[in-house]
Every structure is written in structure tokens, then in C-alpha cells.
Amino acid sequence: MFQPVKGPAQHNQKPEQTLKPQGQARVLAIANQKGGVGKTTTAVNLATALAACRKRVLIIDLDPQGNASTGLGLVAGQRARSIYQVLIEGAALSEAITATPVPMMKIVPSGVDLSAAEIELISLSGREQRLKQSLATVLADFDYILIDCPPALGLLTLNALVASDAVVVPLQTEFYALEGLSHLLRTIERVKRAMNPNLEIQGIVLTMFDRRNNLSELVAADVRAHMGDVVYKTVIPRNVRVSEAPSHGKPVLLYDMRCAGSQAYIHLASEVLQRERGRIRSQNLAT
Ligand SMILES: Nc1ncnc2c1ncn2[C@@H]1O[C@H](COP(=O)(O)OP(=O)(O)OP(=O)(O)O)[C@@H](O)[C@H]1O
Ligand SMILES: [Mg+2]
């Protein structure tokens, strides 16, 4: 794991929590260093469901695999600008924003060159803050910005955690579900202490839940027993329509709105929005 480097603000002083002005996008990182747990599927379909609730949404594809970009029908090589040029070459984020098949949803695509960024970032100034600084220029244009993280806790994911207000953690409902979670939670805590005091966990979402399999029920109960209310009530079922949709360049909500997977992501979006409303209420009470 990449260790956050101490910045100038960290000499004996804790960075302070600040309230984000209203009218600025909430930034959610979709993160888990485990591969294939449903990060991209959740980023694309939660974003689509939020857009269906008339929220202006931007997806940042921060994974060199570029699955969110291809899953939304963007052909590699036809992408005007990518997040690589923004992070490494200093291109304006606004110039990399690209339309998707969903009217209220846009994306900043990734590309294979992003795999080099993990190394190239090391020697750049403000290497953990570069995404945050770029996002600051478009916060007023969106309600939600969702960052699809790569399956690693390197500098790219660190940039996402520093730039985010909260993290959504997809957890595959399988035997080893909790393995690696404590490592992720420690990393989030460390970033919160050292670089981003506002960082919260929005929630943990159980993915690929198989109702025909007793193990799924046992694992879900175990995760809820360990993690409590931070786990969303909504579980995302294993559903073949969800896995087919990316090959058609569409979110599952456009591919088959009625399938169980689409319905689950609509429920997840309403839970996410409910938690957001709860947060604003408690913020207003505190001020
Ligand atoms: N609810 C689901 N039902 C069926 N298949 C699913 C579901 N969610 C995800 N998948 C499939 O599982 C695979 C992994 O999902 P996804 O790409 O979202 O995971 P990831 O965490 O982003 O992976 P990576 O770590 O490689 O970025 C994909 O083939 C996807 O289509
Ligand atoms: Mg992915």
C-alpha cells in the first residue's frame, strides 16, 4: 500500500473539518482494493439511478482498465481527452468531460496510459491532491461526482480518497467478503487523519448476492453483524442482465429497466440520497 506522505499542513497540526458550500457536488469514491467485487458496475449503475432522480452526475473513470468508459459505449482511441491528461499533463477537466447514453450523466474517460500514471505521479508536485484540484473546477456543475477506483490502494485511489467527501464500498457476497476490508478501512482512516478530515463512509453495499445460495445469506448476516448500520439495506442480486449490459455499451438501467439488478440500483440510489439528506439535516442542526 502506498503510504500517504506528510504534507506541509501536517507538521503537528491536524487538518480541520470544513463545511462544503451548498450547490457544490458531493464526491463519492467507489473503492475496494479487491478486484472484481462490483466497483465499476456500482459506479455506472448508481450514477445512472441518481441521474434518473434528476441529479447532474459525473463519473470519473480512474481505472486504467477503463471498464466504466467501455461499459458506457466509449471506444478507446475515440476519447478526446482522458483523466490521464488531466492528472499528469495538467489538461482542464472540463475539456475531458464526455457525454454518455444517459442524458444527465457525463464521464471523464480513462485510457491504458493511466497505468503509467501510478508511477508518473510519484515525481509530480502535490501528487495526492491533483484530482481534488481538478475536480474543484467543476464542483458547481454537478450534484454528484462518482469516482470508479482501480483495484489497488496506490496513488490513484489515494487521489480519489483525498478528493472525496465519502466512500461507497462494494463488497462481494462471498466467503472471503470481509477479508481486506479492515485494510481498506484503516487506509480511509489514515487519509481522513492526514489529508481529508471530511472523509466519511457513505456505506457498504453487498453485491452479487445469490438468493439460491445459503452462503450468500450467511455472509450477508456476518457482514451486518460486524459492520452494523453502515451496510445499506439494499443488496445487489447476481443478475445476468447486469453482466450483459456493458457489452451493449449501456448501464443495466437502460438495457433492461425491469430486471432485478436495475431495481436494486434504483433502491440503492434512494438509500444513498436518504443518507445524504440525513447528513444535511444534522449539519444544519449543528450550525
Ligand atoms: N450484480 C451482478 N450480477 C452479475 N454480474 C455482475 C454483477 N455485478 C458485477 N458483475 C460482473 O462481475 C464482474 C466484476 O464486476 P465489476 O467490473 O463491476 O467489478 P470491479 O470491482 O469494478 O472489478 P475491478 O476490480 O477489476 O475493477 C463483471 O464481469 C461484472 O459484469
Ligand atoms: Mg472496475
Side-chain angles (χ1 to χ4, degrees):
M1 210 280 297
F2 194 88
Q3 297 293 329
V5 173
K6 290 202 169 186
Q10 291 161 251
H11 295 300
N12 301 326
Q13 75 189 62
K14 258 178 103 178
E16 284 186 10
Q17 251 182 313
T18 48
L19 288 184
K20 201 169 194 174
Q22 282 194 348
Q24 295 211 338
R26 285 276 291 172
V27 183
L28 306 179
I30 317 297
N32 188 336
Q33 76 277 22
K34 244 189 189 183
V37 296
K39 291 181 288 296
T40 302
T41 306
T42 298
V44 167
N45 293 300
L46 175 59
T48 305
L50 289 170
C53 297
R54 306 211 56 75
K55 304 292 179 193
R56 298 164 302 163
V57 186
L58 176 67
I59 297 181
I60 306 288
D61 187 352
L62 200 60
D63 186 348
Q65 298 177 99
N67 294 340
S69 308
T70 42
L72 287 168
L74 273 80
V75 180
Q78 285 179 12
R79 298 169 192 169
R81 286 199 194 282
S82 72
I83 192 69
Y84 174 84
Q85 283 148 316
V86 174
L87 287 178
I88 304 296
E89 295 170 0
L93 189 88
S94 57
E95 286 176 22
I97 293 177
T98 308
T100 74
V102 183
M104 302 272 290
M105 184 172 98
K106 303 223 164 32
I107 186 168
V108 174
S110 152
V112 281
D113 46 8
L114 193 59
S115 48
E118 198 72 67
I119 307 285
E120 289 171 344
L121 275 168
I122 294 174
S123 55
L124 293 181
S125 65
R127 59 191 183 183
E128 305 100 346
Q129 311 276 347
R130 293 180 81 89
L131 182 61
K132 184 185 170 81
Q133 279 162 4
S134 299
L135 288 186
T137 61
V138 300
L139 287 179
D141 303 330
F142 296 95
D143 298 308
Y144 284 93
I145 299 178
L146 269 56
I147 308 173
D148 184 23
C149 293
L153 289 175
L155 262 176
L156 287 171
T157 298
L158 191 57
N159 262 273
L161 295 178
V162 169
S164 293
D165 298 301
V167 190
V168 173
V169 182
L171 213 60
Q172 187 176 347
T173 322
E174 48 144 21
F175 186 64
Y176 293 113
L178 285 166
E179 203 182 69
L181 183 63
S182 55
H183 190 33
L184 176 62
L185 298 180
R186 269 200 309 276
T187 303
I188 292 170
E189 199 46 48
R190 207 175 298 153
V191 171
K192 188 177 161 89
R193 249 183 288 127
M195 284 175 282
N196 182 5
N198 295 325
L199 189 64
E200 299 163 359
I201 298 181
Q202 226 280 348
I204 296 175
V205 55
L206 290 165
T207 63
M208 294 183 243
F209 185 92
D210 189 346
R211 283 181 209 286
R212 293 161 306 177
N213 184 341
N214 265 347
L215 184 65
S216 271
E217 296 283 359
L218 290 174
V219 170
D222 191 35
V223 170
R224 289 187 196 283
H226 275 87
M227 302 306 304
D229 287 346
V230 74
V231 184
Y232 298 105
K233 290 192 184 77
T234 308
V235 295
I236 310 296
R238 186 175 280 283
N239 179 207
V240 68
R241 307 299 269 170
V242 173
S243 54
E244 285 169 3
S247 63
H248 296 266
K250 289 178 183 173
V252 71
L253 275 122
L254 286 193
Y255 178 61
D256 182 353
M257 225 264 271
R258 289 172 177 209
C259 76
S262 292
Q263 294 303 309
Y265 276 110
I266 291 171
H267 284 297
L268 180 64
S270 72
E271 251 192 279
V272 167
L273 290 174
Q274 202 180 347
R275 288 187 182 192
E276 290 292 313
R277 282 193 293 272
R279 190 191 53 82
I280 292 168
R281 262 198 306 276
S282 51
Q283 212 172 62
N284 287 344
L285 284 175
T287 53

